Amino acid sequence: MKFSKEELLKFYETMLKIRKFEEKVSDLFSDGHIPGFLHLYIGQEAVATGVCSNLKKDDYIASTHRGHGHCIAKGADVNKMMAELFGKETGYCKGKGGSMHVADIDIGILGANGIVGAGIPIAVGAGLTAKVKGQGQVAVAFFGEGASGIGYFHEALNMAAVLKLPVIFVCESNNYAEFTPREKHLPIQTVAERGSAYGIKSYMLDGNDVLAVYETFDEVVSRTRKGEGPFLVECFTDRWSGHFVGDPQRYRPLGEKEELQNKDPIIKLKVFLQQEYENANDEINKIHQTVDNELAYAEEFSKSSPLPHGESTLEDVYAQGKQYECNSI
Amino acid sequence: MSVIRFNKAINMALSEEMKRDANVFIAGEDVAEAGGSFGVTKGLLNEFGESRVVDTPISEGAIIGLAVGSSLTGLKPVVEIMFMDFMAVCFDQIINQAAKMRYMSGGKMSLPLVIRTQAGAGFNAGPQHSQSLEALLMHIPGIKVVMPSNPYDAKGLLKTAIRDENPVIFIENKMLYGLKGEVPDEEYVVPFGKANIVRKGTDVTIVALGQMVNKAKSVTKQLEQQGISAELIDPRTITPLDKDTIVNSVAKTGRLVIVHEAVKTGGVGAEIAALVQEEVFDYLDAPIQRVAAPFTPVPYSKPLENYFLPDEQKIIEAVKKVCIGRQFPQLVGRD
């Protein structure tokens, strides 16, 4: 597949934005600006970017607890994302969701999810809507290989296959289920094998190569739009950081982290760009500047945004009014 | 007015709402071809086709997931969990997803979905097919919980449930499916959070849930003959709960008996008793009594199940217990 320079630079920008967002929020977390848990997406940027670059605004994604990358790649506003992580009123969820629940229904993000595997059947539901409405949308479920041990994964694959829904199951095989290495929780070599048990055509690819991801999804998404789904795609990638920020990663073999740097999806694309285009560095530098500015603004926006008032705790529980629309407890 | 059975009332509500709104669809195990295990969805497949009446695999978790995802994206699912006991299989999707997503999104997401399920003992269906688990659901903010006691309410409440923008759990007691009752021929709905004062009275308030409303109703007639005027309240929905109607009634009668089929421990009755003592403790003339099942699983064998289920005699005893005293000297020493 031949990519234009613009396309390649756009991939670069999206991946860089994810990387820099994660680095920044990690620093802000360490400095005490962000409470709770942070599960970073660093190392996996090529997957979200390659997948979501094939999606339209009205396509759906159901994300994971490691969801920042998916949301950015699908077009989420980094100001609102970061403010949400700060627990501010201006955040996507008015400070009620936090890192694990960033959602933007207006651009098809059905939410990051704090429960491993829970987004998978939700994507199946969105796929049903897409099929019923018949407007050619697709629904993508992101999950890690650890989530393929969850019952919902199997139920969702079976259901989507039986009902022939336009759903793409995207497994980000990043080698660790929380703290447990792949070989200790997966009795088979690949999650892709599981697709065949449900009659679902499955693909495997190098998830650190954004061009490979894009190329496969170009085919898979268009076939899904035509009603040939569901599909399962296993993207082999690497989780650079721990399960969460602060995880000491004692389970990781010595030297592994250093090796991962050699598989950096962003460097890989950068080298490709430099080989293809003489003046690539100028444009790459420009992108770095743009992304840095954008994230500096997001930080400023988040820091200067107001915290929510305590009473707003009672809002948004139900569609009408506060806790209940009538007298109650 | 027509006289129809409870299951027909639900069937009519589904059919009418599916006609009214093309986004409404039904999904669940055996709901299409088979018409549901209690015949509730019979005929709907023929009427609306297989894209709107969807038979699913036996996957309760994915059924609720299907409802969550499709409701988030513009449809209005009415899914069925065949027996309430099976909700245990899909609690993540109910508790962590359906109930939380509006809140977690700061109010931007809407989940207009209904989960119909069937509860209760009386069919010798054993410990895994007879439970009443509404208290577990009442404990979860973000969902609404409906417990109809008659065909009129069943139809009107289900229509309200389908039109509601929130996740609603609609609990049908399996002993009620054959119950006949009057239902208007014209369109109507029954609002949530408005208790039904089934019978007015002055001496004691009885709050009964679901199927127990019918047992309490027959008890009130017997009590009348013994000189006790009981006010019977059917909350209809336990979330939202019509606190005012209950509290005002107790303030008037000074006595409260709560009747439900679920086990007494941690039951809805405990919540109602607590809120009454918070609001109108000083109006109470006697300790509140709860008539509920003992703290055991629902047994299989007939005499065991009969022992388990609250019956009219137990309700009468509880009422007499709170009524014994100054105003009812005739009750002293009886039974």
Side-chain angles (χ1 to χ4, degrees), chain A residues 283-296:
Chain A
E283 272 146 307
I284 287 169
N285 290 339
K286 223 186 289 170
I287 288 172
H288 277 257
Q289 196 58 53
T290 309
V291 168
D292 285 344
N293 290 344
E294 202 175 342
L295 292 172

Side-chain angles (χ1 to χ4, degrees), chain A residues 60 93-94 101 110 113 115 118 121-122 125 128-129 133 152 155 159 313 315-316 318-320 324-325 327, chain B residues 23 25 59 61-62 65 69-70 73 93 97 101-104 106 109 142-144 165-166 239 241-244:
Chain A
Y60 301 113
C93 321
K94 302 187 216 163
H101 302 294
L110 305 180
N113 209 307
I115 309 292
I122 294 172
L128 183 79
T129 302
K133 302 262 178 189
Y152 285 119
E155 292 192 13
M159 179 94 76
T313 301
E315 292 165 2
D316 305 318
Y318 292 96
Q320 300 91 352
Y324 296 108
E325 72 265 52
N327 73 88
Chain B
N23 288 320
F25 76 98
S59 312
S70 60
T73 51
Q93 287 291 329
Q97 311 302 329
M101 288 190 102
R102 164 173 291 277
Y103 193 75
M104 293 193 305
M109 286 178 164
I143 48 181
K144 297 186 179 181
E165 283 298 306
N166 301 285
T239 312
L241 184 68
D242 184 354
K243 188 171 84 173
D244 286 356

Side-chain angles (χ1 to χ4, degrees), chain A residues 20-300:
Chain A
K20 296 256 181 179
F21 181 89
E22 297 294 54
E23 287 172 350
K24 185 169 281 296
V25 295
S26 178
D27 289 347
L28 290 165
F29 179 83
S30 305
D31 292 346
H33 291 287
I34 294 175
F37 281 120
L38 281 187
H39 305 84
L40 301 184
Y41 194 70
I42 292 176
Q44 303 180 205
E45 296 91 345
V47 182
T49 304
V51 174
C52 293
S53 299
N54 278 291
L55 300 180
K56 296 179 185 163
K57 190 177 163 189
D58 65 351
D59 288 324
Y60 301 113
I61 64 163
S63 177
T64 69
H65 64 284
R66 200 175 300 291
H68 303 161
H70 307 136
C71 295
I72 291 173
K74 189 67 171 65
D77 179 336
V78 288
N79 300 323
K80 287 187 192 173
M81 278 181 67
M82 204 181 285
E84 184 57 31
L85 270 51
F86 272 70
K88 295 294 181 80
E89 198 179 82
T90 52
Y92 259 120
C93 321
K94 302 187 216 163
K96 288 172 179 151
S99 162
M100 285 188 277
H101 302 294
V102 172
D104 189 351
I105 193 78
D106 296 337
I107 54 170
I109 301 173
L110 305 180
N113 209 307
I115 309 292
V116 170
I120 311 175
I122 294 172
V124 172
L128 183 79
T129 302
K131 186 177 176 179
V132 169
K133 302 262 178 189
Q135 289 161 354
Q137 293 150 290
V138 301
V140 171
F142 288 103
F143 55 94
E145 85 277 12
S148 75
I150 292 272
Y152 285 119
F153 164 84
H154 298 273
E155 292 192 13
L157 259 68
N158 187 51
M159 179 94 76
V162 166
L163 301 178
K164 298 184 175 61
L165 300 180
V167 183
I168 305 167
F169 300 97
V170 181
C171 179
E172 297 181 275
S173 268
N174 66 10
N175 297 317
Y176 290 97
E178 302 197 355
F179 316 124
T180 304
R182 184 184 181 92
E183 63 276 10
K184 284 196 179 165
H185 70 83
L186 207 60
I188 48 178
Q189 289 300 308
T190 68
V191 173
E193 291 166 50
R194 291 187 160 155
S196 63
Y198 302 101
I200 292 177
K201 182 156 171 55
S202 304
Y203 296 74
M204 286 181 283
L205 55 84
D206 176 1
N208 292 334
D209 180 350
V210 68
L211 305 184
V213 179
Y214 184 91
E215 215 164 339
T216 299
F217 277 87
D218 180 57
E219 181 195 332
V220 169
V221 170
S222 68
R223 287 183 65 182
T224 306
R225 285 198 206 287
K226 281 187 254 163
E228 295 174 37
F231 292 99
L232 168 65
V233 184
E234 183 172 15
C235 307
F236 295 97
T237 183
D238 296 289
R239 188 187 85 196
W240 285 25
S241 43
H243 171 47
F244 54 85
V245 179
D247 167 12
Q249 302 182 67
R250 293 195 187 90
Y251 49 85
R252 214 189 260 277
L254 278 175
E256 188 181 80
K257 269 199 256 183
E258 291 68 31
E259 275 174 41
L260 295 177
Q261 319 275 329
N262 302 328
K263 298 198 272 176
D264 187 336
I266 298 179
I267 301 288
K268 195 179 168 107
L269 181 62
K270 188 180 184 177
V271 169
F272 181 75
L273 273 160
Q274 286 165 336
Q275 284 166 351
E276 292 283 304
Y277 305 101
E278 263 178 32
N279 62 347
N281 275 339
D282 295 346
E283 272 146 307
I284 287 169
N285 290 339
K286 223 186 289 170
I287 288 172
H288 277 257
Q289 196 58 53
T290 309
V291 168
D292 285 344
N293 290 344
E294 202 175 342
L295 292 172
Y297 181 81
E299 179 181 345
E300 184 47 41

